């Protein structure tokens, strides 16, 4: 696919996800996806595999955040097989505390599948609101 087609596809997937329908986005994640959470804080890690991503990261987030959580994308930049998305989280913890982080996500695509995700965010906000990432959920290196 061209960079323009990749950009349009990601815009469609993420618009649906922001509207509450995450099914298309989740099904687009490749089984062998790699997600890198950048930085030097407790959430920083490389997660390998869709199962681990959904269980360990998404599952942990679901245990902390109230229903209706979403990230609203507002800028897309595409080149070759990469789509960069800037977005704003609109979330609350189950205790009612706002968690509205800013994100820059870089998606690498292959044949209409998300094969790599790199996340950049406000790490201080993540730890202040969500706490440290549990060591028990980390994959063995």
């Amino acid at each position: 696919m061209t960079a323009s087609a990749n950009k349009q596809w990601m815009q469609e997937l993420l618009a649906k996800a922001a509207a509450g329908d995450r099914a298309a986005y989740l099904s687009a994640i490749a089984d062998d996806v790699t997600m890198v959470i950048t930085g030097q804080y407790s959430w920083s890690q490389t997660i390998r595999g869709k199962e681990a991503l959904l269980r360990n990261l998404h599952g942990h987030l679901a245990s902390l955040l109230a229903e209706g959580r979403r990230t609203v994308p507002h800028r897309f930049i595409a080149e070759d097989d990469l789509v960069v998305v800037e977005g704003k989280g609109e979330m609350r913890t189950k205790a009612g505390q706002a968690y509205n982080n800013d994100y820059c996500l870089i998606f690498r695509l292959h044949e209409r599948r998300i094969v790599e995700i790199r996340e950049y965010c406000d790490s201080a906000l993540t730890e202040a609101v969500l706490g440290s990432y549990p060591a028990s959920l980390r994959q063995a290196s």
Side-chain angles (χ1 to χ4, degrees):
M1 291 177 55
T2 66
S4 177
N6 284 334
K7 179 180 173 179
Q8 181 177 354
W9 183 64
M10 287 302 300
Q11 287 171 322
E12 292 167 5
L13 284 178
L14 296 178
K16 287 179 186 176
D21 179 4
R22 299 180 66 210
Y25 171 76
L26 293 174
S27 68
I29 297 173
D31 289 340
D32 62 347
V33 69
T34 299
M35 180 167 185
V36 177
I37 301 173
T38 64
Q40 301 294 319
Y41 68 119
S42 69
W43 290 72
S44 299
Q45 61 184 304
T46 299
I47 301 169
R48 290 178 178 79
K50 182 176 183 175
E51 182 181 325
L53 175 65
L54 296 181
R55 180 186 61 241
N56 297 348
L57 181 63
H58 290 220
H60 182 57
L61 287 169
S63 76
L64 300 173
L65 298 171
E67 291 295 320
R69 66 186 186 274
R70 68 187 191 144
T71 299
V72 179
H74 55 84
R75 181 173 294 138
F76 291 80
I77 302 167
E79 180 179 292
D80 301 325
D81 63 349
L82 300 174
V83 179
V84 179
V85 180
E86 187 178 0
K88 180 74 171 181
E90 295 179 357
M91 304 173 208
R92 291 205 162 277
T93 66
K94 288 184 176 179
Q97 185 175 3
Y99 178 62
N100 301 323
N101 213 327
D102 293 299
Y103 296 96
C104 181
L105 301 163
I106 303 173
F107 295 92
R108 188 166 61 85
L109 310 175
H110 180 71
E111 297 178 1
R112 295 183 74 89
R113 306 294 285 171
I114 298 168
V115 297
E116 183 181 335
I117 307 165
R118 292 184 66 81
E119 176 186 292
Y120 299 84
C121 70
D122 181 344
S123 57
L125 177 65
T126 300
E127 289 198 321
V129 176
L130 302 181
S132 295
Y133 189 81
S136 63
L137 296 179
R138 289 187 174 281
Q139 288 180 316
S141 296

